[in-house]
């Protein structure tokens, strides 16, 4: 699982039928303090995230399919949470 910032939306007129009704978001992987790394993934949104939100992304094939609730879906990355803040070593690294 990685921390990422949603930086864009993918619009597709034709997609796998298993993705019908699903939003595809471009997520830039972040460091714990919220700095983006330039490493981007397209993830299926299961929590109602939007552009500029910080999110938790499951980026393992089987874990992503389980999070989506469809063990046969052709999915590599799924957004499973919207992050409000990051705390580590007794201090707040980032309020997001």
């Amino acid at each position: 699982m990685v921390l990422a910032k949603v930086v864009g939306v993918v619009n597709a007129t034709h997609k796998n039928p298993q993705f019908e009704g699903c939003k595809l978001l471009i997520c830039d992987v972040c460091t714990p303090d919220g700095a983006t790394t330039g490493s981007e993934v397209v993830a299926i949104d299961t929590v109602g995230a939007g552009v500029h939100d910080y999110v938790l992304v499951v980026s393992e094939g089987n874990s992503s399919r389980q999070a989506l609730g469809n063990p046969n879906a052709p999915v590599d990355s799924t957004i499973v949470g919207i992050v409000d803040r990051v705390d580590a070593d007794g201090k707040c690294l980032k309020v997001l």
Side-chain angles (χ1 to χ4, degrees):
M1 188 177 320
V2 297
L3 176 67
K5 182 177 182 180
V6 178
V7 296
V9 178
V10 175
N11 293 305
T13 56
H14 297 290
K15 56 187 171 184
N16 187 298
Q18 295 181 52
F19 294 160
E20 290 299 324
C22 296
K23 188 167 41 169
L24 301 173
L25 299 176
I26 302 169
C27 301
D28 194 344
V29 176
C30 295
T31 62
D33 64 358
T36 56
T37 64
S39 178
E40 296 175 342
V41 297
V42 174
I44 294 200
D45 179 31
T46 64
V47 296
V51 176
H52 305 299
D53 282 341
Y54 285 84
V55 295
L56 293 175
V57 178
V58 177
S59 294
E60 303 294 328
N62 189 44
S63 297
S64 291
R65 289 187 291 276
Q66 288 179 12
L68 185 60
N70 185 344
N72 298 316
V75 176
D76 287 327
S77 299
T78 303
I79 298 171
V80 296
I82 299 173
V83 177
D84 297 315
R85 64 185 268 161
V86 177
D87 295 304
D89 294 327
K91 64 179 180 175
C92 177
L93 297 179
K94 185 79 174 175
V95 176
L96 308 170

